[in-house]
Amino acid sequence: MPARYQTDYQVGQDNTQRWGMDIHHPVFWVSAILILIFVMGTLMAPGPAKEIFDGAKGRSIAYFDWLFMVGGNVFVLFCLALIFLPVSRIRIGGVDARPEFSTLSWFAMLFAAGMGIGLMFWSVAEPTAYYTNWAGTPLNVAARTPAGADAALGATMFHWGLHPWAIYAVVGLSLAFFSYNKGLPLTIRSGFFPLMKGATWGWFGHAIDVIAVLATIFGLATSFGFGARQAASGLNFLFGIDPGMATQVAIIIGVTFIAVISVVRGLEGGVKLLSNINMGLAAILLAFVIIVGPTIAILTAMGTAATSYIENIIPLSNWIGREDDKFFHGWTVFYWAWWISWSPFVGMFIARVSKGRTVREFLIAVLLVPTLVTLVWMGAFGGSALEQAQHEIGALAKGIGEVSLAMFQMLENLPLANITSFFAITLVLIFFITSSDSGSLVIDSITSGGQLDAPVPQRIFWATMEGVIAGALLFGGGKDALGALQAAAITVGLPFTVVLLVMCIGLYMGLAHEWRFVQGPKAREKP
C-alpha cells in the first residue's frame, strides 16, 4: 500500500476497558458529559432551553439556507457522477469481498434505519398539509386546487427522494470504503484521512466524532418522542387509551426494553430480523391500501408524484429569490438540516451492512431504490389522503389538526380500519426499535474507537440511554423539552454540512487511489 495510506493508528489504541465496556478517549467521556449537561439543563428549564435552541435553529436556517441547499444539490450530483465513473467498479472490502446479507435483507435494513418511522409519520400528513396550506405551499401554488394537489405530491417526493438518500450515501460510502478497503476505524473521522493524514487521530478527529455522537443521540431521541406520540395517538384512536405523557413514556420504556434485547442479539439476530419483519408488514399494509383504497386515484398519484417531482426538482432545489418563504424555510431547509443531522447515524449503519457491494451497487441501492419505494408509498398513502381531502371525506378534508393522527384519520375511511390502524401502530413501534438498534450500534462503534463489535454492556448502555433521554425529556419537560431536543439536532446539522462537503473530496481521493493502485485494470496488470 503506498505510503500516504499507511498509518500507525490502531483501532482501540486509545481505549480503556472499564465496567465491561471498551471506552475510547476522549470521545466517550466528552459525548457523555455534553449529553448530561444538555439533559439536566433542559429538564431544569425546558422553556428557556427551547427558546435558546430554537433561536440557534432559526439563525442556522435563515442565514445558512444557501449552504444547506448547495450542499444537498452537491451530494446528489456527486453520487450520480460516481455511478458512471470507473471507480464505481471498486468493491467495498476488496476484490474478493462478498456481501454479508442478502439483497432483500440489505434493502430492508437500509429502509428501516433511514426513513421508516418518518414515512409512517409524514406520508399522509405532509401532502395534506401542503394541499390545505396548513404551513405554506410549495412554490406558492394555490392551495386546494388540482395544481396544488400535484405540487403537494411532488414537493413531498422532493423531501423524501434523491436528496436525503444522497446525504446518507455520501457518509455511508465514505465510512464503508475507508473502513473495509483501507483498514481505518469505522468512525466519521476516517473519511478525512486523505486530507488530514495523522491529524485525523488528534483533536480534530475527536471533535468530528463527538459531533456525530451528539447528532445521532439527539436525532434518535427526537424520533422516539415523535414515534411515541404517534403510537399513543393510535392507541387512543383504537382503544380510547389516554394519549398523554404517561402513555408516551410507557411506550418509550417498552420499546427501549425490546431494543436492548435486540441490540444484544446483534445485527443478524436483532436488526436484520426486525427489519425483515417490518418490511413484510409494511408491504401488506401498502398492498391493502392500494387494493381497497381508491386504486385508480392511487396509481394516478404515483404518476403525478413522479412527474411533478421531475418537473419541479430544479425550482425546488433553487435558493435564490424564493418567494415561498414559509414553505422554503419551514419545510425544505428544515428537512435538509434534519437529514444532515441524521447522516452520521444512518450513514454509518449503512456502511456497517454494505461490505461486499460495488460502489455502483451501493449507490444505486442507497440512492435510487429507496426513492422508487418512497414514490410508491407516497402515491398510496399521500394519494389516498389527498383523494379524501379533495372530496371532503373525513377529518383530513378540514386540514391537519394533530399530525400524529393523520395516518389513522386516512385509514379510518377505508375498510377494516381497526385492523389496519393496529398494523400501523405495530409498524411504528418496530421501526422505533430498529432505529434504536441501528443507532446504538453506530454510537457503540464511535465511542469504542471504530470497533465493529462493541462489548455487550456498551450496547446495552447506549440503547438504554436513548430511551432514558427521550423519556426523561418528554416526562420532565413535555413538548418544550422535545422541541429543544429537535432544535439541537437541527443546529448540529449546520457544521455537519461542511463536514459532508469535505468528506466528498476525501472520498473521491480515496476511491481514485484505490482504482489506481489496488482494484483498477492498471493496478492488476502490475507484477
Side-chain angles (χ1 to χ4, degrees):
M1 188 177 293
R4 65 179 179 142
Y5 271 90
Q6 292 175 353
T7 171
D8 59 2
Y9 183 86
Q10 298 295 320
V11 176
Q13 71 176 21
D14 296 326
N15 289 17
T16 297
Q17 282 67 44
R18 185 173 296 176
W19 308 305
M21 297 191 289
D22 205 349
I23 297 172
H24 180 63
H25 302 291
V27 173
F28 183 99
W29 296 112
V30 174
S31 301
I33 290 169
L34 290 176
I35 290 167
L36 181 63
I37 291 172
F38 173 83
V39 172
M40 294 301 295
T42 302
L43 287 176
M44 288 188 291
K50 183 176 184 296
E51 186 176 338
I52 290 170
F53 284 105
D54 273 346
K57 179 188 77 174
R59 286 188 291 275
S60 297
I61 290 176
Y63 297 134
F64 294 96
D65 52 359
W66 61 272
L67 179 60
F68 288 119
M69 298 300 290
V70 169
N73 296 336
V74 167
F75 303 140
V76 172
L77 295 174
F78 177 71
C79 290
L80 291 175
L82 284 183
I83 291 175
F84 298 101
L85 290 174
V87 294
S88 65
R89 286 177 273 174
I90 291 173
R91 187 170 296 277
I92 298 170
V95 291
D96 298 322
R98 290 297 175 264
E100 298 178 88
F101 304 99
S102 70
T103 301
L104 191 59
S105 292
W106 186 42
F107 286 158
M109 287 189 286
L110 298 182
F111 211 74
M115 289 188 178
I117 198 168
L119 287 175
M120 291 297 297
F121 202 83
W122 288 108
S123 59
V124 169
E126 187 171 341
T128 306
Y130 299 151
Y131 176 73
T132 59
N133 196 17
W134 179 65
T137 60
L139 303 175
N140 280 341
V141 177
R144 295 187 180 275
T145 63
D150 294 351
L153 288 169
T156 303
M157 271 305 304
F158 177 68
H159 291 153
W160 295 83
L162 293 175
H163 282 76
W165 285 102
I167 292 167
Y168 294 160
V170 166
V171 179
L173 181 58
S174 178
L175 296 180
F177 172 76
F178 285 111
S179 177
Y180 295 128
N181 291 74
K182 298 303 185 185
L184 301 183
L186 188 64
T187 64
I188 301 294
R189 72 174 76 192
S190 293
F192 291 82
F193 185 77
L195 296 166
M196 302 297 296
K197 305 298 189 295
T200 306
W201 319 122
W203 66 265
F204 173 83
H206 296 328
I208 293 294
D209 282 349
V210 167
I211 293 173
V213 171
L214 296 180
T216 299
I217 201 81
F218 289 161
L220 280 172
T222 304
S223 290
F224 272 25
F226 288 138
R229 281 173 55 191
Q230 188 174 30
S233 295
L235 292 173
N236 174 259
F237 182 82
L238 278 179
F239 307 114
I241 297 173
D242 180 16
M245 201 63 64
T247 301
Q248 294 177 40
V249 172
I251 290 169
I252 289 175
I253 292 171
V255 166
T256 301
F257 177 75
I258 299 172
V260 167
I261 296 173
S262 178
V263 81
V264 168
R265 290 171 58 88
L267 271 176
E268 192 74 29
V271 178
K272 175 186 170 183
L273 176 63
L274 288 173
S275 296
N276 287 339
I277 292 172
N278 225 21
M279 288 301 102
L281 293 177
I284 292 171
L285 182 60
L286 175 64
F288 176 85
V289 171
I290 292 174
I291 293 169
V292 308
T295 306
I296 301 301
I298 288 172
L299 296 177
T300 302
M302 291 178 190
T304 300
T307 303
S308 180
Y309 180 33
I310 294 169
E311 287 178 350
N312 293 311
I313 190 169
I314 292 178
L316 290 171
S317 299
N318 173 49
W319 65 94
I320 301 172
R322 291 287 290 265
E323 296 181 356
D324 54 343
D325 185 74
K326 192 174 182 181
F327 167 82
F328 175 57
H329 285 113
W331 289 93
T332 301
V333 181
F334 174 87
Y335 263 131
W336 275 206
W338 181 251
W339 299 137
I340 290 168
S341 73
W342 262 59
S343 64
F345 149 49
V346 181
M348 188 175 291
F349 179 74
I350 292 173
R352 180 69 179 82
V353 300
S354 297
K355 185 178 181 180
R357 311 285 174 176
T358 67
V359 169
R360 180 174 291 146
E361 284 179 307
F362 179 96
L363 290 172
I364 289 174
V366 176
L367 194 64
L368 302 181
V369 173
T371 299
L372 294 175
V373 173
T374 300
L375 177 66
V376 175
W377 187 273
M378 287 297 183
F381 289 86
S384 296
L386 289 177
E387 181 75 4
Q388 293 177 16
Q390 287 175 299
H391 291 85
E392 301 293 326
I393 299 171
L396 294 179
K398 300 176 183 178
I400 299 296
E402 175 59 50
V403 171
S404 60
L405 275 175
M407 171 71 76
F408 306 107
Q409 290 172 335
M410 186 276 288
L411 293 173
E412 184 180 25
N413 296 295
L414 300 180
L416 305 176
N418 287 344
I419 295 175
T420 54
S421 294
F422 183 77
F423 245 69
I425 295 171
T426 304
L427 276 168
V428 168
L429 293 176
I430 301 179
F431 275 131
F432 212 159
I433 296 166
T434 52
S435 293
S436 175
D437 281 0
S438 47
S440 299
L441 291 171
V442 166
I443 298 175
D444 290 341
S445 180
I446 298 174
T447 57
S448 64
Q451 300 195 61
L452 296 180
D453 294 300
V456 170
Q458 197 154 336
R459 300 183 206 174
I460 294 172
F461 173 78
W462 286 111
T464 304
M465 282 298 294
E466 291 162 16
V468 167
I469 292 169
L473 289 176
L474 201 58
F475 185 76
K479 289 186 177 180
D480 280 347
L482 190 62
L485 187 64
Q486 184 186 47
I490 296 300
T491 304
V492 171
L494 177 59
F496 234 82
T497 304
V498 179
V499 169
L500 264 62
L501 288 168
V502 178
M503 190 176 280
C504 289
I505 300 172
L507 174 58
Y508 185 77
M509 290 173 66
L511 291 171
H513 169 272
E514 181 82 0
W515 187 249
R516 181 181 179 187
F517 292 105
V518 183
Q519 294 194 39
K522 291 185 179 180
R524 290 194 294 271
E525 291 172 3
K526 294 178 181 178

